[in-house]
Amino acid sequence: MIYKLYFLLSFLYSAVQGSSVIFRTVEVTLHKEGNTFGFVIRGGAHDDRNKSRPVVITCVRPGGPADREGTIKPGDRLLSVDGIRLLGTTHAEAMSILKQCGQEATLLIEYDVSVM
């Protein structure tokens, strides 16, 4: 509930300020280093729908593959890995998909763009 309230308040604040947020997607191809792409995720589907959250990048490790590539930022949403959609997957399933993909993976990332 707090999560939904935060986004509602953010939207209302943006509307008052004369701006809004739109979503953009980008494909990013990364190569694993030491079995990692260099980012941390949070979220995923939950048995209780009210606890479900999108899979979000929470941290990009400095010097790691994602950091060096430069596109992925904390707060971006991870929509798919090599064409496998993450909508409806649990956190554990999303982690498993990331671990099981090859040394190279194409990620579909969604991010926010503020429009004035």
Side-chain angles (χ1 to χ4, degrees):
M1 181 65 174
I2 292 173
Y3 187 76
K4 290 177 184 177
L5 181 60
Y6 170 78
F7 281 108
L8 176 61
L9 291 175
S10 295
F11 174 77
L12 291 174
Y13 179 77
S14 294
V16 169
Q17 295 299 315
S19 65
S20 60
V21 175
I22 59 173
F23 306 115
R24 298 276 190 228
T25 58
V26 63
E27 280 192 350
V28 177
T29 300
L30 294 178
H31 301 270
K32 283 183 182 176
E33 265 183 23
N35 207 30
T36 181
F37 291 113
F39 60 81
V40 177
I41 62 169
R42 185 175 183 175
H46 192 276
D47 290 338
D48 179 351
R49 278 193 64 191
N50 293 323
K51 294 181 181 179
S52 292
R53 300 289 180 262
V55 177
V56 175
I57 309 288
T58 57
C59 176
V60 176
R61 294 197 176 107
D67 181 45
R68 288 195 313 274
E69 192 281 332
T71 302
I72 298 174
K73 305 290 185 229
D76 291 349
R77 291 165 298 283
L78 182 57
L79 301 181
S80 71
V81 177
D82 286 337
I84 302 169
R85 290 178 43 124
L86 299 183
L87 182 64
T89 63
T90 65
H91 181 81
E93 291 167 337
M95 290 293 295
S96 178
I97 290 166
L98 284 165
K99 288 181 189 284
Q100 291 177 11
C101 67
Q103 284 299 109
E104 177 183 289
T106 301
L107 313 175
L108 183 62
I109 303 294
E110 181 179 64
Y111 60 97
D112 301 337
V113 177
S114 181
V115 179
M116 304 304 235

PDB file of all heavy atoms in Angstrom, residues 38 59-65 67-68:
ATOM      1  N   GLY A  38      26.636  -7.784 -12.904  1.00  0.00           N
ATOM      2  CA  GLY A  38      27.032  -6.600 -12.158  1.00  0.00           C
ATOM      3  C   GLY A  38      25.888  -5.706 -11.704  1.00  0.00           C
ATOM      4  O   GLY A  38      26.059  -4.503 -11.588  1.00  0.00           O
ATOM      5  N   CYS A  59      20.793  -1.825  -7.628  1.00  0.00           N
ATOM      6  CA  CYS A  59      22.194  -1.424  -7.506  1.00  0.00           C
ATOM      7  C   CYS A  59      22.954  -1.871  -8.752  1.00  0.00           C
ATOM      8  O   CYS A  59      22.754  -2.983  -9.231  1.00  0.00           O
ATOM      9  CB  CYS A  59      22.793  -2.078  -6.257  1.00  0.00           C
ATOM     10  SG  CYS A  59      24.551  -1.769  -6.034  1.00  0.00           S
ATOM     11  N   VAL A  60      23.792  -1.001  -9.261  1.00  0.00           N
ATOM     12  CA  VAL A  60      24.706  -1.347 -10.348  1.00  0.00           C
ATOM     13  C   VAL A  60      26.105  -1.319  -9.743  1.00  0.00           C
ATOM     14  O   VAL A  60      26.551  -0.275  -9.249  1.00  0.00           O
ATOM     15  CB  VAL A  60      24.589  -0.359 -11.534  1.00  0.00           C
ATOM     16  CG1 VAL A  60      25.611  -0.691 -12.610  1.00  0.00           C
ATOM     17  CG2 VAL A  60      23.171  -0.364 -12.101  1.00  0.00           C
ATOM     18  N   ARG A  61      26.773  -2.460  -9.735  1.00  0.00           N
ATOM     19  CA  ARG A  61      28.083  -2.560  -9.084  1.00  0.00           C
ATOM     20  C   ARG A  61      29.139  -1.793  -9.870  1.00  0.00           C
ATOM     21  O   ARG A  61      29.310  -2.021 -11.087  1.00  0.00           O
ATOM     22  CB  ARG A  61      28.494  -4.020  -8.950  1.00  0.00           C
ATOM     23  CG  ARG A  61      27.586  -4.763  -7.999  1.00  0.00           C
ATOM     24  CD  ARG A  61      28.188  -6.071  -7.523  1.00  0.00           C
ATOM     25  NE  ARG A  61      27.300  -6.669  -6.537  1.00  0.00           N
ATOM     26  CZ  ARG A  61      26.543  -7.730  -6.784  1.00  0.00           C
ATOM     27  NH1 ARG A  61      26.567  -8.312  -7.951  1.00  0.00           N
ATOM     28  NH2 ARG A  61      25.767  -8.202  -5.832  1.00  0.00           N
ATOM     29  N   PRO A  62      29.835  -0.863  -9.197  1.00  0.00           N
ATOM     30  CA  PRO A  62      30.866  -0.069  -9.881  1.00  0.00           C
ATOM     31  C   PRO A  62      31.915  -0.965 -10.536  1.00  0.00           C
ATOM     32  O   PRO A  62      32.416  -1.907  -9.926  1.00  0.00           O
ATOM     33  CB  PRO A  62      31.487   0.762  -8.754  1.00  0.00           C
ATOM     34  CG  PRO A  62      30.413   0.829  -7.707  1.00  0.00           C
ATOM     35  CD  PRO A  62      29.686  -0.485  -7.794  1.00  0.00           C
ATOM     36  N   GLY A  63      32.217  -0.678 -11.798  1.00  0.00           N
ATOM     37  CA  GLY A  63      33.222  -1.428 -12.540  1.00  0.00           C
ATOM     38  C   GLY A  63      32.744  -2.727 -13.147  1.00  0.00           C
ATOM     39  O   GLY A  63      33.478  -3.381 -13.874  1.00  0.00           O
ATOM     40  N   GLY A  64      31.502  -3.137 -12.842  1.00  0.00           N
ATOM     41  CA  GLY A  64      30.957  -4.382 -13.372  1.00  0.00           C
ATOM     42  C   GLY A  64      30.470  -4.216 -14.799  1.00  0.00           C
ATOM     43  O   GLY A  64      30.477  -3.112 -15.358  1.00  0.00           O
ATOM     44  N   PRO A  65      30.050  -5.317 -15.427  1.00  0.00           N
ATOM     45  CA  PRO A  65      29.598  -5.265 -16.823  1.00  0.00           C
ATOM     46  C   PRO A  65      28.493  -4.233 -17.075  1.00  0.00           C
ATOM     47  O   PRO A  65      28.563  -3.475 -18.044  1.00  0.00           O
ATOM     48  CB  PRO A  65      29.098  -6.685 -17.089  1.00  0.00           C
ATOM     49  CG  PRO A  65      29.836  -7.546 -16.126  1.00  0.00           C
ATOM     50  CD  PRO A  65      30.028  -6.699 -14.904  1.00  0.00           C
ATOM     51  N   ASP A  67      27.756  -1.546 -15.320  1.00  0.00           N
ATOM     52  CA  ASP A  67      28.311  -0.213 -15.108  1.00  0.00           C
ATOM     53  C   ASP A  67      29.141   0.234 -16.310  1.00  0.00           C
ATOM     54  O   ASP A  67      28.991   1.353 -16.805  1.00  0.00           O
ATOM     55  CB  ASP A  67      29.167  -0.205 -13.839  1.00  0.00           C
ATOM     56  CG  ASP A  67      29.750   1.156 -13.531  1.00  0.00           C
ATOM     57  OD1 ASP A  67      29.013   2.163 -13.618  1.00  0.00           O
ATOM     58  OD2 ASP A  67      30.950   1.219 -13.179  1.00  0.00           O
ATOM     59  N   ARG A  68      29.992  -0.638 -16.794  1.00  0.00           N
ATOM     60  CA  ARG A  68      30.845  -0.289 -17.942  1.00  0.00           C
ATOM     61  C   ARG A  68      30.021  -0.057 -19.207  1.00  0.00           C
ATOM     62  O   ARG A  68      30.355   0.814 -20.005  1.00  0.00           O
ATOM     63  CB  ARG A  68      31.892  -1.374 -18.180  1.00  0.00           C
ATOM     64  CG  ARG A  68      32.983  -1.380 -17.115  1.00  0.00           C
ATOM     65  CD  ARG A  68      34.198  -2.189 -17.545  1.00  0.00           C
ATOM     66  NE  ARG A  68      33.855  -3.478 -18.107  1.00  0.00           N
ATOM     67  CZ  ARG A  68      33.653  -4.590 -17.402  1.00  0.00           C
ATOM     68  NH1 ARG A  68      33.750  -4.568 -16.091  1.00  0.00           N
ATOM     69  NH2 ARG A  68      33.371  -5.720 -18.006  1.00  0.00           N
TER      70      ARG A  68
END
